[in-house]
Amino acid sequence: HMKDKVIQFTKHPLISLSFVIVIGSLFSSFFSFLFNLFMSRNLSVADYGTLTSLVSLITLAIMPASALMPTVVHFSATYFANNEQSKAYGLFFKVGKLSLAIGLILLLVFITCASQIAGFFRIPDSSLFVIPGLIVLFSYLNIMNSGLLQAKLAFGYITLAQLVGSLLKLIFGTVFVLLGFGVSGGMWAFFLAYFAPYLLTFIPLRFLFQKQNTKTNVSLKELLSYGMPSALTLFSLTSFI
């Protein structure tokens, strides 16, 4: 009977999904470790410093996106629980448009202020900042997709997408650097690590785009009134980490 209880316990969604997330995170972290190890051994000290500076800049720029995620999850989960598919569809487009606007503005900032940012970080090639701008853009676009998947408790698929991204980063980063692309090769590998998972998230979300779905307007004011306090709190806390 103890064996049956253990089996029943391990089959509980909380336990099984947590196990999937932990295993996926371990492999993803391992691939990222191999990527950084390879870059540190195959790039010059100056180039590796440039790469880490660009990655740090990306992390800073996408912090607000991470802070907005709980708001998306909250509203999406409520709509799914109440079987309000049309509202989830409306939320997808409302937040998607907002994320696209913010992402494009940040991309424009990266492009137009590339020389100034490069001077501040002492990076000789200002053209490199286009790639971080694109990464930030797709990070903001992915807010809605990841939020919907979390609300649907599709943690296995989220973990798979992250794992694929980390593996692609390792493979293409290695290939691009060995081919002589240097820092730009490493950054394009980072781009694939964000872009590929974003595309993959549309597969389990294809139900939203079925013909019978009708879009219900969702109040942006309601989203902001709920999300801004939590987003500012989370952003303030993570900024000091």
Side-chain angles (χ1 to χ4, degrees):
H1 292 90
M2 180 61 69
K3 182 181 178 181
D4 293 337
K5 287 183 178 180
V6 171
I7 294 173
Q8 186 178 1
F9 177 76
T10 54
K11 286 184 178 180
H12 191 280
L14 180 63
I15 303 301
S16 58
L17 289 175
S18 297
F19 179 76
V20 170
I21 293 170
V22 170
I23 295 299
S25 298
L26 286 174
F27 275 100
S28 182
S29 298
F30 179 66
F31 291 146
S32 295
F33 166 75
L34 291 179
F35 173 84
N36 286 312
L37 180 64
F38 177 82
M39 292 298 161
S40 65
R41 295 294 182 90
N42 290 272
L43 293 176
S44 67
V45 175
D47 283 348
Y48 185 69
T50 298
L51 181 68
T52 54
S53 296
L54 292 172
V55 172
S56 299
L57 190 61
I58 293 168
T59 304
L60 181 63
I62 64 177
M63 269 187 185
S66 302
L68 287 171
M69 184 70 72
T71 304
V72 176
V73 174
H74 169 78
F75 282 92
S76 302
T78 302
Y79 297 150
F80 287 137
N82 296 329
N83 201 26
E84 296 175 316
Q85 209 85 314
S86 60
K87 284 191 175 182
Y89 189 57
L91 180 69
F92 176 85
F93 280 95
K94 180 72 73 173
V95 176
K97 288 177 182 177
L98 179 63
S99 300
L100 178 61
I102 296 172
L104 287 174
I105 290 170
L106 290 173
L107 173 60
L108 189 62
V109 169
F110 272 93
I111 294 173
T112 56
C113 301
S115 298
Q116 291 81 357
I117 302 172
F120 178 80
F121 284 100
R122 297 186 178 181
I123 295 174
D125 187 3
S126 59
S127 64
L128 288 171
F129 288 92
V130 176
I131 310 172
L134 290 171
I135 292 172
V136 170
L137 170 62
F138 283 102
S139 296
Y140 275 85
L141 288 175
N142 199 34
I143 295 172
M144 193 63 239
N145 294 32
S146 295
L148 284 169
L149 289 178
Q150 288 186 39
K152 291 283 288 182
L153 301 179
F155 295 109
Y157 206 92
I158 294 172
T159 303
L160 175 63
Q162 292 175 343
L163 196 59
V164 168
S166 296
L167 185 57
L168 287 176
K169 181 176 68 175
L170 174 62
I171 293 172
F172 282 95
T174 302
V175 172
F176 290 158
V177 170
L178 289 177
L179 289 175
F181 289 102
V183 179
S184 62
M187 288 309 302
W188 279 117
F190 258 100
F191 171 75
L192 287 174
Y194 283 84
F195 182 64
Y198 170 68
L199 292 181
L200 286 173
T201 56
F202 281 100
I203 297 174
L205 293 176
R206 60 185 180 274
F207 68 91
L208 283 175
F209 307 99
Q210 294 172 355
K211 291 183 179 180
Q212 63 266 29
N213 275 340
T214 56
K215 184 171 65 176
T216 300
N217 190 40
V218 178
S219 172
L220 184 61
K221 183 179 179 181
E222 184 183 2
L223 289 171
L224 293 176
S225 63
Y226 176 87
M228 284 306 294
S230 60
L232 287 173
T233 302
L234 186 58
F235 178 71
S236 300
L237 289 172
T238 52
S239 295
F240 291 102
I241 297 175

